[in-house]
Every structure is written in C-alpha cells, then in structure tokens.
C-alpha cells in the first residue's frame, strides 16, 4: 500500500538560521482507502528569518496553538502556500504573524494577524500569475494622509501588500477594530482604501452579508465582518490596505459631535466621538455637568478616547446629559457647544 508524500519544503534554506529545531512542526500523514491526504499541524511557535521561506504544499495546515512569526522589513521572511493548499482552525493565538504568499490560481484567505489578533484578508486574482504577499499590522500606518472623499483613515491597523496582479480584495474586522468609532456609528460609510505611497485612495467596495471571518462568521456589523471591492484592484498601485470612513461630516460645522455614547465596555460606542477632530491638534474641550461642575477637560487635541469618567479618574459619571464647549484652535474663542448624553 503506497501513501503519497506531499511536497513540504522544511529545509534550513527555507526556515532560516533562527529555527533551533524542526521539532516544533508536526506533520501527520492520514491515509484513507480512496486517497492519501496530508496535514501540517502548527502546534508550537515557529520563526522565519529575514530572506527565508517556509513553503507549504500539503492540502491542509491546521493552526492548533502555535504561531508562525516571520521577520518583517524590506527583506522579510515568508510563509508561502502552494496552489490548492489551505488552512483551518486559525485563531488569535494561532496564525501567521508576518508575511504570507499565496498563488494566483484561486481566492485565498490569508491567515495573518499581529499582536494577538487574527485578521484575515482575501485576494481573489483575476489577472496575473504571480504570488501576492500580505501581512497584518495591528497599529497605525505611518502615513494617514488621504484623498478628498475620505473623512478618516483607521488609526488601528493596516495590511502591508506586495503584489502585481489584478484581484478582488476582501478585508475583515472584529471587535478590536473600533469600527463604530471609525465610521461614527454609520457602518454604511465604511470602505476599503489603498496607500499609493503618498496618500490613501478609496476603493469602491461593499459590505458582505455573509462573511468569511473565522472569528465572526455571521453578517457584517460593528463587532465583526468583511467588505469586498466591487471591482478588481491593481495591486501594484498600492503598498498597503486598510479600512476608512468615506465622505465628510454633514453637520455644517468644522467637526461633527456625537450626541451620545454608552461606555459599558462592550467595544461598541464606548467613547465620545468627534468627527474630524484630528484636524485640530490644538483643540481645547471642556465638559460640564448639569450643575455646571467641570467633569472633563483636555487641551492640545482630543483622541476620541473619553469614556465618560470623571476628570482623570476611573470613576464613571452618572447617566445623563452633559454640556460641552469646544475651542478648536485653542485661542480662547468658543467654536462649538452642545450636549452629549451618557447612557
């Protein structure tokens, strides 16, 4: 009885000198009477050094607890998946923290994450025959400049991209992504954007009703979901991808102030949000109770991070309405005032 052995490149020339042992990789060959199958089980941590590559050609790679971390930077390490190779069981604790390359033969869900968060993306090639490299970074991109029509770029995360094909792109988010804050609670304004080396450019896209997200496989909402480009994207035009809010605030004022928020720790609408406040780094904001007692003040800009606590304490304020005054330029002149409700 013959069992077909799949091609799995695990030599040191691919793994790199930082791998102390191959024992962290467990390969299981499962036989059935009709067809031999193979699985690669990632059960412990693996590191791929600069310029090194781990090529996976088995039908299924199971992320069962280990994490593959690759070197980043210009000469990054790489985990590459052969055509028809796939993966399963990815999680925040088990994924590829670094660069993944997939072939151009079919849509591929990239098992990428960073800083303890799995954040998959899909590349569905329509033209071209080169592999596409992708990684996820759970921090702000160094450049948030955006074209007209983009009100805000996510300051939480981005995917680094290296490819030359034309492809549909699908990005995901979860409850760590703060999509409610990004969209100012208007999820219909969410869009994909690509960084062209100078600024972020919006990519026409649409929310998916049923999404691939392994963390939240239901419909797209503030807690998690996916969004797909409506047309194939020239990947060579962009070095990074992220999520943005399109349009501009429609309040007729320089900024738009949220009328209420619910600081209950559920990750949704937990902080007071001021649309476009990032354009005013000298802003001075004061919030008062109904009895004219100051409960919050910030100078030299506001980061949309006040969660309804008194001054700089951790004491939550009672439910109710609070008055605010905003001096956008920090010049002593009030530009905006109103009420915000904490529930």
């Amino acid at each position: 009885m013959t069992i077909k052995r799949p091609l799995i490149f695990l030599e040191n020339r691919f793994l790199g000198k930082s791998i102390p042992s191959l024992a962290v990789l467990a390969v299981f060959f499962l036989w059935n009477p009709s067809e031999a199958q193979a699985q690669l089980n990632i059960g412990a941590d693996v590191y791929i050094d600069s310029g090194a590559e781990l090529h996976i050609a088995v039908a299924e790679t199971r992320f069962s607890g280990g994490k593959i971390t690759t070197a980043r930077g210009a000469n990054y390490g790489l985990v590459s998946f052969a055509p028809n190779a796939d993966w399963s069981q990815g999680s925040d604790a088990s994924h590829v923290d670094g660069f993944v390359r997939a072939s151009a033969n079919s849509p591929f869900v990239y098992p990428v994450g960073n800083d303890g968060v799995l954040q998959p993306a899909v590349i569905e090639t329509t033209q071209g025959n080169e592999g596409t490299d992708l990684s996820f970074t759970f921090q702000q991109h160094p450049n948030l400049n955006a074209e007209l029509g983009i009100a805000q770029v996510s300051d939480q995360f981005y995917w680094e991209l290296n490819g030359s094909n034309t492809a549909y792109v699908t990005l995901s988010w979860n409850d760590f992504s703060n999509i409610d804050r990004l969209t100012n609670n208007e999820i219909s304004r969410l869009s994909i954007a690509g960084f062209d080396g100078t600024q972020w450019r919006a990519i026409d896209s649409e929310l998916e009703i049923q999404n691939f997200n392994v963390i939240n496989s239901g419909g797209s909402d503030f807690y998690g979901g996916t969004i797909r480009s409506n047309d194939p994207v020239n990947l060579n035009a962009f070095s990074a991808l992220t999520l943005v809010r399109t349009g501009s605030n429609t309040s007729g004022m320089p900024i738009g102030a949220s009328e209420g928020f619910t600081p209950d720790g559920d990750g949704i609408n937990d902080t007071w949000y001021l649309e476009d406040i990032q354009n005013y780094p000298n802003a001075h904001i004061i919030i008062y109770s109904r009895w004219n007692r100051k409960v919050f003040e910030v100078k030299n800009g506001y980061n949309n991070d006040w969660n309804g606590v008194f001054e700089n304490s951790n004491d939550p304020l009672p439910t109710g309405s609070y008055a605010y005054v905003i001096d956008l330029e920090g010049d002593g002149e009030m530009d905006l005032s109103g009420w915000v409700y904490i529930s």
Side-chain angles (χ1 to χ4, degrees):
M1 187 176 299
T2 302
I3 299 177
K4 300 177 182 177
R5 293 181 62 88
L7 181 61
I8 309 175
F9 297 108
L10 296 178
E11 294 89 354
N12 287 336
R13 65 191 177 95
F14 288 102
L15 289 173
K17 62 183 180 181
S18 293
I19 300 297
S21 171
L22 298 186
V24 292
L25 291 177
V27 182
F28 298 95
F29 298 97
L30 304 181
W31 175 85
N32 67 46
S34 60
E35 180 182 4
Q37 299 177 340
Q39 295 170 348
L40 176 62
N41 185 63
I42 308 299
D45 292 341
V46 179
Y47 181 75
I48 311 300
D49 206 354
S50 298
E53 178 179 355
L54 167 62
H55 183 72
I56 299 175
V58 295
E60 181 183 8
T61 297
R62 292 186 176 181
F63 288 92
S64 60
K67 186 181 297 181
I68 303 178
T69 301
T70 80
R72 300 192 183 229
N75 189 30
Y76 54 80
L78 185 66
V79 178
S80 61
F81 285 80
N84 302 317
D86 206 350
W87 61 275
S88 65
Q89 299 182 3
S91 67
D92 288 341
S94 189
H95 54 261
V96 178
D97 189 341
F99 280 90
V100 171
R101 175 179 294 168
S103 70
N105 292 357
S106 62
F108 186 79
V109 181
Y110 285 69
V112 291
N114 179 236
D115 199 19
V117 175
L118 169 66
Q119 206 63 79
V122 174
I123 302 295
E124 183 180 347
T125 301
T126 60
Q127 184 176 350
N129 54 18
E130 299 294 327
T132 299
D133 300 351
L134 196 73
S135 69
F136 176 73
T137 300
F138 194 39
Q139 64 182 29
Q140 177 179 302
H141 189 272
N143 190 330
L144 297 183
N145 292 329
E147 66 178 356
L148 291 175
I150 294 179
Q152 185 171 345
V153 179
S154 173
D155 59 2
Q156 299 280 302
F157 55 84
Y158 64 95
W159 289 261
E160 192 169 350
L161 173 70
N162 186 0
S164 59
N165 297 331
T166 300
Y168 288 98
V169 172
T170 304
L171 301 183
S172 69
W173 67 91
N174 56 36
D175 53 355
F176 296 108
S177 305
N178 290 324
I179 294 301
D180 58 323
R181 181 169 67 86
L182 173 63
T183 63
N184 197 21
N185 295 310
E186 297 180 69
I187 199 169
S188 61
R189 294 172 65 181
L190 191 67
S191 178
I192 299 172
F195 185 70
D196 66 2
T198 302
Q199 63 180 346
W200 291 93
R201 296 186 177 276
I203 295 171
D204 186 36
S205 46
E206 187 173 351
L207 295 173
E208 294 194 310
I209 298 176
Q210 294 295 324
N211 70 80
F212 70 84
N213 198 327
V214 297
I215 304 299
N216 176 7
S217 58
S220 295
D221 55 26
F222 291 123
Y223 289 99
T226 56
I227 185 168
R228 183 177 185 264
S229 63
N230 286 326
D231 300 298
V233 177
N234 177 12
L235 302 182
N236 194 47
F238 303 114
S239 61
L241 301 167
T242 196
L243 298 176
V244 300
R245 182 178 78 252
T246 58
S248 57
N249 83 71
T250 57
S251 65
M253 302 299 293
I255 64 171
S258 172
E259 296 179 353
F261 62 104
T262 56
D264 54 9
D266 66 351
I268 304 297
N269 199 29
D270 280 334
T271 61
W272 187 43
Y273 184 79
L274 298 180
E275 186 173 6
D276 296 331
I277 192 63
Q278 72 275 7
N279 297 327
Y280 300 92
N282 297 318
H284 180 192
I285 301 170
I286 305 177
I287 297 178
Y288 298 93
S289 72
R290 297 172 66 90
W291 297 274
N292 203 34
R293 182 186 183 188
K294 185 175 70 175
V295 297
F296 175 75
E297 181 177 16
V298 64
K299 298 179 180 180
N300 299 317
Y302 174 60
N303 294 321
N304 285 321
D305 54 359
W306 183 53
N307 61 351
V309 298
F310 177 72
E311 292 287 1
N312 294 318
S313 72
N314 291 321
D315 300 328
L317 292 169
T319 296
S321 296
Y322 294 82
Y324 62 82
V325 292
I326 301 175
D327 172 6
L328 291 174
E329 304 297 340
D331 57 6
E333 296 185 8
M334 184 182 69
D335 298 295
L336 186 65
S337 64
W339 292 86
V340 58
Y341 189 82
I342 299 177
S343 58

